[in-house]
Amino acid sequence: MLSYRHSFHAGNHADVLKHTVLSLIVSALNEKEKPWFYLDTHAGAGRYQLSGEHAERTGEYLEGIARIWQQDDLPAELESYISCVSALNPNGKLRFYPGSPLIARHLMRPQDKLHLTELHPSDYPLLRNEFLKDERARTERSDGYQQLKSKLPPPSRRGLVLIDPPYEIKSDYQAVVDGIKEGHKRFGTGTYALWYPVVMRQQIKRLFAGLEASGIRRIMQTELAVLPDSDRRGMTASGMVVVNPPWKLEEQMNTVLPWLHKKLVPGGTGHARVSWIVPE
Ligand code: SAM
């Protein structure tokens, strides 16, 4: 089942959190000369048109990236993320939004490599075209979870894996835990960033319990809720789980998350949280 299209949701509050964390991790990798490898298991289309039919229909980006990208008091921690958005919108009007592959590309250096997989028959060709001329990137129409077995460890032994499924099938909640275990077995020093939606809190508690039981250490969590938890349909919050986070990430998120929460949720509902699922 592949009915999910990220173009309906691009630039929403969940993307803002996800891409903030992504850009901070990539920036941390850039602090050393040694090349890094980025694996994006669920890459999406790469670039999203915010004035397009899909994004206009939901208007989600208006309560996400549109609320923060031109703020005068932008925290330093958001500069690399916003630089990716600005690069796609050079005349100052918000028309395009960069997905995770474009954020990684904007921040990467000549020595770094990207491997991007996407299954959707409409989104994959868009992703492939975006990277046709970039020799540092490979795109593949294949199952993202499979890459955690076949592409790890990377030759450079440094890198980041982003796992960002749509959770349109319930098995994704277990598949992400199994996927992290598979990846970690092969590449224990890598950083793994997993996005999750909070639709039913119980599902996330189970996901975290699975991670705790895995025996993997250094698992951080950061979450931004726009509404309190609810039993009704719909996403009230989203978060990122980061295995082996860069040492500054906790402090950076503690600085930036209250600012993001204030700007994205002017009514002040929900919460902002940084904590450890499993410490050192
Ligand atoms: N990571 C993207 C970003 O941040 O811009 C967004 C990805 S979107 C949330 C999830 C994507 O996963 C969808 O485009 C969907 O078609 C794709 N997908 C679903 N199942 C997949 C699978 N097993 N392997 C690879 N891609 C998959």
Side-chain angles (χ1 to χ4, degrees):
M1 184 170 74
L2 279 170
S3 52
Y4 179 92
R5 301 294 304 277
H6 196 64
S7 44
F8 287 99
H9 310 289
N12 68 3
H13 63 83
D15 262 7
V16 169
L17 175 69
K18 181 199 308 171
H19 295 150
T20 296
V21 172
L22 170 63
S23 63
L24 288 170
I25 298 173
V26 173
S27 301
L29 285 167
N30 281 347
E31 284 173 10
K32 288 193 185 137
E33 264 318 293
K34 198 172 171 212
W36 49 256
F37 173 75
Y38 170 72
L39 170 61
D40 198 330
T41 58
H42 298 69
R47 176 190 302 248
Y48 301 96
Q49 200 181 338
L50 297 176
S51 53
E53 189 203 330
H54 291 186
E56 288 290 3
R57 200 179 317 159
T58 62
E60 289 185 18
Y61 76 96
L62 296 170
E63 296 180 355
I65 186 62
R67 287 197 170 150
I68 63 159
W69 84 297
Q70 281 174 327
Q71 294 285 335
D72 293 334
D73 59 341
L74 194 77
E77 289 79 6
L78 289 178
E79 277 170 14
S80 56
Y81 165 44
I82 297 299
S83 74
C84 305
V85 180
S86 302
L88 280 193
N89 298 285
N91 69 5
K93 196 167 175 294
L94 189 57
R95 293 178 57 228
F96 296 101
Y97 185 76
S100 47
L102 262 61
I103 291 179
R105 178 171 70 188
H106 185 75
L107 300 175
M108 79 192 295
R109 307 156 306 172
Q111 67 266 43
D112 305 321
K113 296 261 184 280
L114 312 182
H115 187 82
L116 317 164
T117 53
E118 168 58 45
L119 269 185
H120 199 284
S122 306
D123 282 341
Y124 176 69
L126 299 173
L127 180 73
R128 189 192 51 211
N129 287 346
E130 193 68 57
F131 285 90
L132 270 183
K133 296 198 184 107
D134 197 333
E135 289 189 351
R136 300 167 303 172
R138 284 195 144 217
T139 59
E140 214 176 284
R141 186 169 176 208
S142 52
D143 177 36
Y145 297 118
Q146 204 51 44
Q147 313 305 309
L148 295 160
K149 296 181 188 164
S150 59
K151 292 291 175 303
L152 300 179
S156 62
R157 297 292 199 276
R158 282 188 87 214
L160 166 63
V161 179
L162 176 67
I163 306 171
D164 182 21
Y167 297 90
E168 61 179 338
I169 42 172
K170 278 217 177 91
S171 56
D172 272 336
Y173 289 93
Q174 184 57 44
V176 295
V177 176
D178 295 340
I180 287 179
K181 287 199 277 193
E182 286 291 350
H184 193 268
K185 216 160 53 186
R186 294 166 171 78
F187 180 36
T189 54
T191 297
Y192 297 79
L194 165 70
W195 180 82
Y196 65 86
V198 181
V199 179
M200 282 201 292
R201 178 61 70 180
Q202 209 49 38
Q203 286 168 317
I204 300 309
K205 285 191 176 156
R206 275 199 294 272
L207 193 162
F208 286 9
L211 289 171
E212 272 180 75
S214 70
I216 298 171
R217 311 293 305 171
R218 298 195 74 230
I219 310 182
M220 196 185 115
Q221 171 220 4
T222 175
E223 184 174 297
L224 192 147
V226 297
L227 288 169
D229 288 359
S230 156
D231 294 335
R232 273 176 261 140
R233 244 179 98 79
M235 179 174 73
T236 57
S238 74
M240 291 288 274
V241 167
V242 186
V243 177
N244 291 329
W247 66 275
K248 280 190 291 192
L249 189 66
E250 179 184 15
E251 188 188 319
Q252 289 171 320
M253 290 310 294
N254 273 321
T255 306
V256 82
L257 209 53
W259 185 93
L260 280 176
H261 188 244
K262 194 171 86 193
K263 298 288 179 185
L264 294 174
V265 197
T269 53
H271 59 256
R273 175 185 303 150
V274 183
S275 63
W276 290 86
I277 300 172
V278 184
E280 288 290 342

